[in-house]
Amino acid sequence: MAAAATTLSASGLCAAQPAAADAGFFPTVRNLTLGPGHSWGPAGSAGGTPDGTVVYAFSKAPLTDASWSGGGLPGGLSASAGSDGCTVYAGAPGVFACPVTTVNVFDQPEVAASASAANDTTAYVGVAYAPRGASVAAAVKAAQLAGTTSDPENPTAAVIKVKTPEQVAKSSVTLSTPDVPLSASLVQSVHVHAADPGHLTVNFERTSDERYFDMDELDISVQSVDGGPGSSCDHTLGSIGSGGDTVSCDLPAGEHTVTYTLASGPSVAAWKIKARADFEVVNYGSGNPEAESTFAVTSPYPVRDRYRLFARDAKGLLRYYDGTGTAAAPYGERQFLSDGWQQYTALGSLGPVTVHSTGDLVARDKSGVLWHFKGSADGSLFSARTKVGGGWNTYNTLVGTGDVSGDGRADLVARDASGVLWLYRGTGEQAAMFTARTKIGGGWNTYTALTAPGDLTGDGRADLLGRDASGVLWLYRGTGNPAAPYASRTKIGGGWNTYTALNGTGDLTSDGRADLVARDAAGVLWLYRGTGNAAAPYASRTRIGGGWNTYNILF
């Protein structure tokens, strides 16, 4: 961020008149703590409409000496002009003048701590403002003496310190987070051993194995905070699921136990929640102490997961739609995953994929090689593909079934050209994903579509659906027995040949029952809500929306 420095004349500095007052703009500075090798600017907030020059004055001594004998920065700290017009002010060491306008609200010098800077290296910075036409020299003098006039509410003087990683490591933070009951209040606490002053924050977020909270579904809030000195602690209003630093305190050096009271509503689901405490000793540096602790909501109401629908178009672009949990609009806006998926002749998930990317994909390429894409919650959705093996083009249908065998691992069924259905049991091992195939039975070429709806009957076992050539949909209930994974079929009903795609989606409506989506020839996608009743597993269809015939695969 350094820029070539130019100089401004300092003539008349001693005899200058005070800087003209401008109620329309006032800059401030803030205390700044840097780790060795880090840099940042000292500017704080600014209010009003800028049109003039902001002056920053750096000194090795407090800003109370009119002679400016301590002007400049101590060894280990340096300052450079910013990128938008700051200049070195001639005749006054450590002083920078920075033009400000409504376009450039304010530039500032950048202060850097060298990699070898010693702990507690200290500098002082003052700020003042000269409106256009007023004396910049007077603003320089005001900045140099800001320590005598600074207002705590709008500080014009601040301190810059260096804290080494070794010093930062002397501070520590620990959390105590008991579980939260429904319709009650409970106290959690954070203990800080502060070798130096710092800023404590506590925030709350989902654990990695659960989906994100909706803004309105986590009815837990911080009611009060206690334990910080004076009025140094604060908390945000509203749900702890709304994001941000929910509890914050400015703490001096010493031992501190800060408590906060959480209050929950009457119908919060049984979330697992991660509390994270950070104690910021250095504003810009490394090694600030932190702690994490997970607690639960003791609730009889389960957290309903949400599921993701994937769609590939003719160009090979793979997109996805995240479930919302509502029947009226079960999917959110479509998202782009990646291109290049036209190389695969079969695509599918091994079980319903959640919106937080639990669940895996398999894809068979044109040469018959099957590839595995493991779900990843790091933002990429899936990790890099790994090879399962060749020879899979012997099958005309591949269906990920979830756990058919009852061992907790996702399985795969495959139908060959003669109509035999085979079971590949999942192993959970990346190097050998499936055991050797076992035969389920013949005659499965009577079906024009096979899909795995999950547990359709509410017995905890993964089921299978097949649509025959006449349009009748049949249910095969899972047994949990890998030697005979499906019971005899039962008829669901006719008329299903109106659809060009059938897909078991997991629970789309947050009622704990597996649902189904179906696309008709006109490209309209329909929702069939699961009932949990094996005799009539689906309610009447409801329309999701049109335009889905742009995709050649839905899964």
Side-chain angles (χ1 to χ4, degrees):
M1 293 181 63
T6 59
T7 58
L8 293 175
S9 171
S11 61
L13 177 62
C14 295
Q17 298 299 310
D22 183 0
F25 184 72
F26 54 91
T28 65
V29 286
R30 59 174 179 149
N31 294 333
L32 190 63
T33 307
L34 300 174
H38 292 268
S39 62
W40 204 254
S45 61
T49 304
D51 184 22
T53 302
V54 175
V55 173
Y56 294 90
F58 297 95
S59 176
K60 296 181 284 293
L63 303 172
T64 57
D65 180 10
S67 70
W68 199 236
S69 59
L73 288 161
L77 286 171
S78 62
S80 60
S83 60
D84 294 327
C86 283
T87 57
V88 174
Y89 193 87
V95 177
F96 294 81
C98 303
V100 291
T101 65
T102 54
V103 176
N104 173 32
V105 176
F106 55 88
D107 191 19
Q108 61 178 316
E110 183 171 280
V111 180
S114 70
S116 60
N119 187 64
D120 274 340
T121 299
T122 302
Y124 303 84
V125 58
V127 67
Y129 172 61
R132 184 178 296 276
S135 170
V136 173
V140 169
K141 179 59 68 176
Q144 291 172 328
L145 293 173
T148 63
T149 59
S150 182
D151 177 2
E153 296 297 320
N154 294 291
T156 54
V159 178
I160 302 170
K161 278 186 176 290
V162 174
K163 292 293 180 183
T164 61
E166 294 78 12
Q167 179 63 27
V168 173
K170 294 178 181 179
S171 297
S172 62
V173 58
T174 56
L175 276 163
S176 175
T177 58
D179 293 344
V180 176
L182 287 185
S183 300
S185 297
L186 176 137
V187 175
Q188 297 183 341
S189 64
V190 54
H191 180 79
V192 179
H193 168 69
D196 295 283
H199 183 68
L200 171 70
T201 59
V202 182
N203 57 64
F204 303 90
E205 57 192 69
R206 72 179 182 103
T207 59
S208 60
D209 58 346
E210 290 192 298
R211 63 175 173 83
Y212 290 99
F213 316 124
D214 288 342
M215 291 292 288
D216 58 352
E217 71 176 330
L218 194 62
D219 185 15
I220 302 175
S221 59
V222 178
Q223 298 296 299
S224 61
V225 183
D226 190 24
S231 58
S232 65
C233 290
D234 198 3
H235 64 91
T236 58
L237 301 176
S239 164
I240 65 172
S242 60
D245 297 329
T246 308
V247 174
S248 60
C249 302
D250 289 311
L251 299 178
E255 301 291 332
H256 308 279
T257 298
V258 175
T259 62
Y260 52 90
T261 301
L262 295 180
S264 72
S267 57
V268 185
W271 290 97
K272 289 181 289 184
I273 301 169
K274 181 168 67 177
R276 178 186 172 93
D278 293 275
F279 186 57
E280 185 181 84
V281 179
V282 288
N283 306 120
Y284 301 95
S286 59
N288 281 327
E290 60 186 47
E292 291 183 354
S293 179
T294 298
F295 62 95
V297 180
T298 53
S299 168
Y301 310 115
V303 176
R304 301 296 186 189
D305 224 328
R306 294 178 185 166
Y307 297 92
R308 183 170 282 158
L309 180 67
F310 293 90
R312 185 191 71 180
D313 66 19
K315 296 180 180 179
L317 303 180
L318 190 61
R319 306 178 189 275
Y320 63 94
Y321 297 79
D322 280 348
T324 65
T326 64
Y331 290 115
E333 295 182 0
R334 76 175 184 178
Q335 307 290 327
F336 176 71
L337 178 58
S338 61
D339 58 9
W341 293 83
Q342 72 274 14
Q343 66 182 296
Y344 300 111
T345 59
L347 281 169
S349 57
L350 290 178
V353 177
T354 67
V355 297
H356 53 282
S357 294
T358 59
D360 302 345
L361 300 189
V362 289
R364 181 188 63 199
D365 66 25
K366 294 174 183 178
S367 68
V369 173
L370 190 67
W371 300 90
H372 174 233
F373 295 81
K374 185 174 179 58
S376 172
D378 65 359
S380 61
L381 273 64
F382 297 102
S383 56
R385 71 179 189 175
T386 57
K387 185 177 180 179
V388 177
W392 289 81
N393 50 6
T394 192
Y395 301 115
N396 57 32
T397 301
L398 299 174
V399 179
T401 59
D403 177 21
V404 169
S405 55
D407 61 2
R409 298 168 181 144
D411 305 314
L412 181 72
V413 296
R415 183 183 64 186
D416 65 25
S418 67
V420 174
L421 195 67
W422 300 88
L423 171 63
Y424 287 86
R425 294 180 61 178
T427 66
E429 299 295 329
Q430 189 70 48
M433 280 197 59
F434 300 110
T435 62
R437 70 181 188 176
T438 57
K439 185 177 180 179
I440 294 176
W444 289 81
N445 51 3
T446 190
Y447 297 114
T448 59
L450 293 172
T451 189
D455 176 18
L456 192 56
T457 60
D459 62 3
R461 297 167 181 155
D463 304 316
L464 188 68
L465 296 175
R467 181 190 63 193
D468 66 24
S470 66
V472 175
L473 193 65
W474 299 89
L475 167 64
Y476 287 85
R477 296 184 65 167
T479 65
N481 175 11
Y486 297 113
S488 299
R489 71 180 188 176
T490 58
K491 184 177 179 179
I492 292 177
W496 290 83
N497 50 3
T498 191
Y499 299 116
T500 59
L502 298 173
N503 188 257
T505 58
D507 177 16
L508 286 181
T509 59
S510 294
D511 61 3
R513 297 165 181 154
D515 303 312
L516 181 79
V517 295
R519 181 188 62 194
D520 66 23
V524 175
L525 195 66
W526 300 88
L527 168 64
Y528 284 86
R529 296 185 64 170
T531 65
N533 176 8
Y538 294 114
S540 299
R541 71 180 188 176
T542 57
R543 188 177 193 270
I544 294 175
W548 291 81
N549 50 5
T550 190
Y551 302 117
N552 55 29
I553 292 182
L554 297 174
F555 62 96

